[in-house]
Amino acid sequence: MPSLKEKLLEMRDRRSALLATNFYNAETLRGVLEAASDLGQPIILQMTRSSIDYLGLPVALAMGRAGLRHHGVEGWIHLDHALGLDLVADCIDAGFDSVMIDASEQDLDRNIEATRRAVALARATGANVEAELGFVAKLGQEADPAGLTDPVQAARFVEATGVDALAVSIGTAHGFYKAEPRLDLERLEAIRRLTSVPLVLHGGSGVGEASIRAVVARGICKVNVATETKDAFVRGIKRELLASSGIDIRAIFPPAIRDVKELIAQKLRMLMTEGGHA
């Protein structure tokens, strides 16, 4: 199986993209992997610090690896939005395929320095390193048009850090949208022209198929989805709890797992080419 670095470069050259979705427990993991298995699609499994703290690092990693093997899915384990290098180092040492250092809310020089250090940490294992440049609003934050990624800065950032993949701000945000965001496709094209690394779209939840296909055609190689995955599972659990007086979670969870599976299948189909593959 290729490394994630190699796979993302393949996606870049093919003008295609991988879906990256967070998982939070055994049930969301199962829903994600059943969708990928049924469609024969590769996938990136992501975890944030919150999920790692909830599950425990060795358990979370083992769950992801075992799930990929069990379902026969080509996939990689990625650390999502690490704010500090301590967690980056822990995940690299544990055997993650990829890590993201997110110093995007610091000034440019500090972002460069943190990313450069993450790249140095990853050299021992060859793990893929992702960073973010620009402001992609997180939950509870207001979107800021002034925080969109500057293409010239992006070129400088990639050159200075040696980063393997770059998450860019072109109008998306983490969480739910009141209306589908208007993406700055010209900005994305400029970033692609000035950089050579695979580009990443954060805030993929709620972005329609036409917009997803448009950004992939312009250089996005990895599309992140998290909010919708959580939402699908929680809505399913609430529905089943209201409809049942039983206490057997093995009867309550499967419909919610199917909801996650259907969502992820929909997202994967957005990224499938005419040949049937991402």
Side-chain angles (χ1 to χ4, degrees), residues 166 168 188 191-192 195 197-201 218-222:
L166 182 65
V168 295
L188 176 59
I191 295 168
R192 179 179 60 81
T195 63
V197 297
L199 303 177
V200 180
L201 183 77
R218 290 163 174 81
I220 292 295
C221 303
K222 174 175 177 273

Side-chain angles (χ1 to χ4, degrees), residues 42-248:
I43 200 149
I44 300 171
L45 300 174
Q46 302 193 147
M47 289 173 279
T48 61
R49 176 181 281 277
S50 295
S51 295
I52 290 170
D53 288 346
Y54 175 69
L55 293 168
L57 179 54
V59 173
L61 180 59
M63 283 173 60
R65 293 277 187 232
L68 289 167
R69 287 194 303 271
H70 177 71
H71 291 278
V73 172
E74 180 184 30
W76 303 266
I77 311 293
H78 173 72
L79 169 64
D80 190 28
H81 284 291
L83 301 180
L85 290 165
D86 56 341
L87 184 58
V88 168
D90 288 345
C91 289
I92 289 171
D93 290 345
F96 275 51
D97 301 297
S98 180
V99 293
M100 179 195 181
I101 179 66
D102 182 4
S104 60
E105 294 187 36
Q106 300 183 36
D107 64 41
L108 180 60
D109 288 340
R110 290 182 180 180
N111 193 354
I112 287 173
E113 178 58 25
T115 303
R116 185 186 289 134
R117 291 174 64 188
V119 169
L121 288 171
R123 283 185 188 135
T125 66
N128 181 73
V129 179
E130 177 183 326
E132 183 170 301
L133 183 66
F135 178 69
V136 182
K138 298 179 176 64
L139 292 173
Q141 294 178 326
E142 291 294 327
D144 181 5
L148 298 182
T149 304
D150 178 84
V152 174
Q153 278 194 354
R156 175 190 165 194
F157 185 88
V158 170
E159 177 67 24
T161 62
V163 73
D164 301 301
L166 182 65
V168 295
S169 174
I170 57 169
T172 56
H174 299 92
F176 291 110
Y177 298 105
K178 295 178 181 177
E180 185 173 343
R182 298 180 63 179
L183 305 184
D184 192 336
L185 299 179
E186 290 184 4
R187 183 180 298 271
L188 176 59
E189 287 185 331
I191 295 168
R192 179 179 60 81
R193 285 196 304 270
L194 294 174
T195 63
S196 59
V197 297
L199 303 177
V200 180
L201 183 77
H202 284 237
S205 291
V207 179
E209 182 171 353
S211 293
I212 291 294
R213 290 188 178 275
V215 298
V216 171
R218 290 163 174 81
I220 292 295
C221 303
K222 174 175 177 273
V223 176
N224 284 23
V225 171
T227 301
E228 283 184 291
T229 306
K230 283 188 290 188
D231 183 62
F233 184 69
V234 170
R235 284 179 180 270
I237 291 295
K238 288 179 178 179
R239 181 190 66 237
E240 296 305 311
L241 287 172
L242 289 172
S244 172
S245 59
I247 62 169
D248 189 346

